[in-house]
Amino acid sequence: MLCAPLAVAIGWRYADERADQGRWARVALSSKKVRTIYDLAELAGVSAATVSRALAGKSLVSSATAERIQRLAEEHGFRPSSLARNLRTRRKGAIGVVIPLGHETTQHISDPFFMTMIGFLADELTERGFDLVLSRVIPKKDDWLEKMISADRVDGFIIIGQSDQSAVLDKMARDYLPMVAWGAHLRGQIHCSVGTDNYLGGLAATAHLMDRGCRRIAFFGNPQAVEIRQRLDGARAAVSARRPGAELIETPTHLAGELTAEDIAHFLDHAGTPPDGIFAASDLIAITAMQVLHSRGLTVPGDVKVVGYDDLPFARTSVPPLTTIRQDIATGARQMVELLLKRIDGEATGSVVLNPELVIRSST
Amino acid sequence: MLCAPLAVAIGWRYADERADQGRWARVALSSKKVRTIYDLAELAGVSAATVSRALAGKSLVSSATAERIQRLAEEHGFRPSSLARNLRTRRKGAIGVVIPLGHETTQHISDPFFMTMIGFLADELTERGFDLVLSRVIPKKDDWLEKMISADRVDGFIIIGQSDQSAVLDKMARDYLPMVAWGAHLRGQIHCSVGTDNYLGGLAATAHLMDRGCRRIAFFGNPQAVEIRQRLDGARAAVSARRPGAELIETPTHLAGELTAEDIAHFLDHAGTPPDGIFAASDLIAITAMQVLHSRGLTVPGDVKVVGYDDLPFARTSVPPLTTIRQDIATGARQMVELLLKRIDGEATGSVVLNPELVIRSST
DNA sequence: CGCCTATTCGCAATCGATTGCACGAGGCGC
DNA sequence: GCGCCTCGTGCAATCGATTGCGAATAGGCG
């Protein structure tokens, strides 16, 4: 009973269950673990409010005490609890990154594109003090986004790969601002997107093949995804506009799904005259196609020229090195983060369309 | 002035800034947005404490009121703030997943293994109510783990790929329990790891090549990483024990780094008699090797037989389909999460070593 | 030397949920 | 019919940081 008021004199935080530690706390104060701004305030001989302001770099505290407090915090390895801060400020300090992360069932699993993108996003977000909370989604029902938003655990969302979910995004974007998606830009879309111009990319790839003398050009990719569709459109435009004599062979849609080696082999074996040029909608498909061509005794670029899409790291090291359309993923990631932060602050931003770039290597 | 006491009678939460809304609050109560358990408590005519208990499924509330409250919460789409809960319970509700996520500079970028693993981890963690907070790390200095731990933003860590950081892990594991790493198990290690038996895997792969008649077996991989080293040890054991006549050709270490197509080509061109069997330390290396072999006019499995490691999805669809050592990533992910949860609860667990499995396809 | 205006700092409320403790109301036996 | 024991609820403190507002101290000026 004697301890309590004594403890209170030292600091009210010892008034309850720690009352019996009051004396000890006083003696061994400097060696006690600094867990809260109150502990640090006691050490510095100021109030918790001052510590909070000093650590937040507010101008209301004199620079002298601010520095002293910051040095103390540094010494004791103290970092204010982000939980408490977030509770008070009503922010989460985290961004949700949503990816159609499948396993066996989908193609994406083996697509290194996502990994690359995530790497850059992690950098950008960490640098700005946000955590990257990753979610995988199998968009079976249309309410996945709604649920994630209402869970309210992050300050905003970055969606990688809209594929066929553009409508869902649009619906939510109507009254949920902090959301940016990677991928195609569609006329009239409401949500904010960042991506390269797939039409231009398709155009450039196909035009390049024709410049190399190709006349029968096959397109490998599943145009059900918007991005791929736009690349196909670009390819069509290139063929019909630039070289009236050339021809574009599109994959039968029933084969356009996963596009495994077997699919490609089947397509080649039943396509009649083989194509002399292949425009693959991704580097992965291009590599697979080259393997199949090899196994059919066709040489690249001798018999068939191949162009990929994405310019992932392994495109440079394949045999032969792959000509491809480069998407600047680093820039894309930075753009997305910047736009998202603006939107978190309530600013309604437009979308960004980046220019793709043709990278010529030995496969064409 | 008249409103205030009235509001208080309705609920103390209107006593301050919302005092002027008191009357409205009373009338339009049911249409007001339910943001907190206090709001819901008001609706249900009980106290916030009861709401909290009901939503947490505690047995202290009668099942009747519990049900009623849960139904109300459902109707209004109310979910208690995880921030406030975590602050109070001193938990974070999130697990940090750490990956050596490089971009251009490292090989890992293009390794789909990580993506697969993350997919499964995301599932397991989400199912158990944890967020997956992803961090990439370039282990230049040895304090990366220490910093992440002291940041104290997650309940525990899953480290994917110890590579050469085993010592760092061990150091921290001494007084930080909630941490599980994927990868090799070393004798005497302190930290908890989950992984397949790389020695057995190397043994099986090499034995299989010898069963297929190979005599000159090349090992492709960088043994500086512990896992790879163990696979190499297994390969050595297989060669010396089973077929005294066989021979193991190890890559010169100066070539063992990135192992790009060029490296492999250079190796093959300067190795004198070419090998008749290749054991690649990853599927990615195996695929690259097969491409190089093709370009050298060597057939698989005719001239050279190739075994990979991991059994990633694309191993099945390569040309030819790749014989490989399967690591059950799904099981590994589940094991890691389960062990981690135990460790979060303070239980010191042992490590887990899973058995690899030889998957025979057409490349051998 | 006294008064006035800036600065600096502390008090206390607040964010939203959890939980030990105490209180009140039925159910039971005797 | 009375006392005791459960069971169900409510009160209020608490997690740790932020911030409006008021107090105190400092310095500037006449």
Side-chain angles (χ1 to χ4, degrees):
Chain A
M1 296 297 284
L2 198 69
C3 276
L6 189 104
V8 168
I10 295 172
W12 61 268
R13 292 178 52 70
Y14 298 103
D16 49 280
E17 77 278 10
R18 302 183 212 174
D20 52 340
Q21 296 176 9
R23 291 192 64 86
W24 176 84
R26 174 176 235 160
V27 176
L29 204 58
S30 62
S31 70
K32 204 171 67 59
K33 185 87 191 293
V34 177
R35 310 189 53 79
T36 73
I37 55 171
Y38 291 91
D39 299 335
L40 196 60
E42 211 176 316
L43 273 185
V46 295
S47 79
T50 305
V51 172
S52 171
R53 293 185 181 112
L55 259 34
K58 307 240 175 177
S59 58
L60 287 83
V61 284
S62 75
S63 54
T65 49
E67 252 176 61
R68 188 163 53 88
I69 291 173
Q70 282 163 10
R71 191 154 9 89
L72 269 176
E74 179 72 27
E75 280 172 21
H76 291 260
F78 169 77
R79 302 165 54 94
S81 153
S82 51
L83 270 148
R85 188 214 320 284
N86 292 340
L87 174 60
R88 179 64 227 237
T89 59
R90 293 160 164 280
R91 299 181 354 136
K92 318 285 177 308
I95 299 296
V97 173
V98 184
I99 294 201
L101 257 183
H103 9 91
E104 281 86 354
T105 50
T106 84
Q107 64 182 326
H108 295 304
I109 184 58
S110 45
D111 196 335
F113 171 83
F114 291 104
M115 211 64 207
T116 311
M117 178 61 94
I118 292 182
F120 285 115
L121 284 177
D123 283 350
E124 296 290 337
L125 289 175
T126 306
E127 197 175 307
R128 291 169 168 79
F130 284 92
D131 279 342
L132 189 167
V133 176
L134 194 72
S135 315
R136 78 186 277 284
V137 152
I138 308 172
K140 269 186 254 172
K141 293 197 299 180
D142 276 1
D143 62 349
W144 56 275
L145 223 197
E146 202 172 340
K147 280 194 172 177
M148 304 197 71
I149 291 177
S150 77
D152 198 33
R153 295 176 65 86
V154 293
D155 292 316
F157 286 98
I158 290 178
I159 321 266
I160 306 187
Q162 340 181 10
S163 66
D164 55 352
Q165 298 291 304
S166 193
V168 175
L169 296 185
D170 255 15
K171 181 175 158 232
M172 295 312 294
R174 224 173 286 273
D175 41 33
Y176 184 78
L177 200 57
M179 179 171 73
V180 175
W182 171 263
H185 177 82
L186 298 177
R187 271 188 308 278
Q189 81 181 22
I190 296 176
H191 67 272
C192 171
S193 70
V194 174
T196 54
D197 190 325
N198 292 293
Y199 180 88
L200 277 186
L203 195 76
T206 312
H208 172 68
L209 284 174
M210 291 188 295
D211 287 346
R212 287 285 202 256
C214 298
R215 308 299 296 241
R216 286 177 53 79
I217 298 173
F219 178 85
F220 286 175
N222 181 357
Q224 289 184 302
V226 200
E227 291 86 353
I228 312 292
R229 170 70 193 205
Q230 295 181 332
R231 290 171 201 173
L232 175 57
D233 287 343
R236 282 178 181 150
V239 169
S240 60
R242 302 259 312 255
R243 291 280 168 83
E247 183 184 356
L248 185 68
I249 316 167
E250 302 177 20
T251 34
T253 45
H254 69 278
L255 274 183
E258 296 290 314
L259 266 181
T260 61
E262 288 98 36
D263 295 332
I264 295 175
H266 182 271
F267 174 76
L268 287 177
D269 293 344
H270 294 73
T273 318
D276 55 5
I278 292 178
F279 171 29
S282 80
D283 285 350
L284 207 65
I285 296 176
I287 300 273
T288 311
M290 290 204 296
Q291 289 181 23
V292 175
L293 291 172
H294 265 305
S295 72
R296 291 290 180 282
L298 295 170
T299 62
V300 175
D303 298 320
V304 185
K305 308 193 193 309
V306 178
V307 179
Y309 210 105
D310 286 344
D311 192 25
L312 295 173
F314 68 68
R316 204 173 309 145
T317 65
S318 66
V319 182
L322 185 66
T323 294
T324 187
I325 302 293
R326 168 179 247 272
Q327 302 202 68
D328 191 342
I329 303 184
T331 304
R334 189 170 328 111
Q335 286 281 353
M336 284 200 286
V337 171
E338 281 172 10
L339 286 183
L340 183 58
L341 294 188
K342 283 185 188 171
R343 292 184 146 245
I344 288 176
D345 288 339
E347 184 179 335
T349 67
S351 295
V352 170
V353 179
L354 303 167
N355 274 331
E357 180 192 354
L358 174 68
V359 179
I360 301 175
R361 298 207 179 89
S362 317
S363 68
T364 54
Chain B
M1 293 296 281
L2 197 67
C3 274
L6 189 101
V8 168
I10 295 176
W12 61 266
R13 291 180 53 71
Y14 298 101
D16 47 281
E17 78 277 11
R18 301 184 211 171
D20 52 339
Q21 296 175 11
R23 290 189 65 85
W24 176 84
R26 174 176 236 162
V27 176
L29 204 58
S30 61
S31 70
K32 204 170 67 60
K33 185 90 189 291
V34 178
R35 311 189 52 80
T36 74
I37 55 172
Y38 291 91
D39 298 336
L40 196 59
E42 212 176 317
L43 273 185
V46 295
S47 79
T50 304
V51 172
S52 172
R53 293 186 180 109
L55 260 33
K58 307 241 175 176
S59 58
L60 287 84
V61 285
S62 74
S63 54
T65 49
E67 249 175 63
R68 189 163 51 89
I69 291 173
Q70 282 162 9
R71 189 153 14 88
L72 269 176
E74 177 71 28
E75 280 172 21
H76 291 260
F78 170 77
R79 301 165 56 95
S81 152
S82 51
L83 269 145
R85 186 214 323 284
N86 292 340
L87 174 61
R88 179 65 227 241
T89 59
R90 294 163 162 279
R91 297 179 356 130
K92 319 284 177 308
I95 299 295
V97 173
V98 184
I99 296 201
L101 258 183
H103 9 92
E104 280 87 352
T105 51
T106 84
Q107 62 182 328
H108 294 302
I109 185 58
S110 46
D111 196 336
F113 171 83
F114 291 104
M115 212 63 210
T116 312
M117 179 61 95
I118 292 183
F120 285 114
L121 285 176
D123 282 350
E124 296 289 337
L125 289 174
T126 305
E127 198 174 306
R128 291 170 169 78
F130 284 93
D131 279 344
L132 189 167
V133 176
L134 195 73
S135 316
R136 77 187 279 282
V137 151
I138 308 172
K140 271 187 251 173
K141 293 198 297 181
D142 276 1
D143 62 348
W144 57 274
L145 223 197
E146 201 172 340
K147 280 195 172 175
M148 301 195 74
I149 292 177
S150 76
D152 197 34
R153 295 177 67 85
V154 293
D155 293 315
F157 285 97
I158 290 178
I159 321 264
I160 305 188
Q162 337 180 12
S163 66
D164 55 352
Q165 299 290 305
S166 193
V168 176
L169 295 185
D170 254 17
K171 181 173 158 234
M172 295 314 292
R174 225 173 288 272
D175 41 33
Y176 183 78
L177 200 57
M179 179 171 72
V180 175
W182 171 263
H185 178 81
L186 299 176
R187 273 189 306 278
Q189 82 182 21
I190 296 176
H191 67 271
C192 172
S193 69
V194 173
T196 54
D197 190 326
N198 293 292
Y199 181 88
L200 278 186
L203 195 75
T206 314
H208 171 69
L209 283 174
M210 291 188 297
D211 286 347
R212 287 285 201 257
C214 299
R215 312 297 298 238
R216 286 176 53 78
I217 296 173
F219 178 84
F220 286 174
N222 181 358
Q224 290 184 302
V226 201
E227 291 86 354
I228 312 291
R229 170 71 192 204
Q230 295 181 332
R231 290 170 200 174
L232 175 57
D233 287 344
R236 284 178 180 149
V239 169
S240 60
R242 303 259 311 255
R243 293 277 169 84
E247 183 184 356
L248 186 69
I249 316 166
E250 302 177 17
T251 32
T253 44
H254 68 277
L255 275 185
E258 296 292 313
L259 266 180
T260 60
E262 287 100 36
D263 296 332
I264 295 175
H266 182 269
F267 173 76
L268 287 177
D269 294 343
H270 294 73
T273 318
D276 56 4
I278 290 177
F279 172 28
S282 79
D283 284 349
L284 206 65
I285 297 176
I287 300 273
T288 312
M290 289 204 296
Q291 288 181 23
V292 175
L293 291 172
H294 265 305
S295 72
R296 292 289 180 282
L298 295 170
T299 62
V300 177
D303 299 320
V304 186
K305 305 191 195 312
V306 178
V307 178
Y309 210 106
D310 287 342
D311 192 23
L312 296 174
F314 68 69
R316 201 173 311 142
T317 64
S318 66
V319 183
L322 186 65
T323 293
T324 188
I325 303 292
R326 166 181 250 271
Q327 302 201 71
D328 190 342
I329 303 183
T331 304
R334 190 171 326 111
Q335 286 280 353
M336 286 201 285
V337 170
E338 280 171 11
L339 286 181
L340 183 58
L341 294 188
K342 284 185 186 170
R343 293 186 146 245
I344 288 176
D345 288 338
E347 184 180 335
T349 66
S351 292
V352 169
V353 179
L354 303 166
N355 274 332
E357 179 192 353
L358 175 67
V359 178
I360 301 175
R361 297 205 180 89
S362 317
S363 67
T364 56

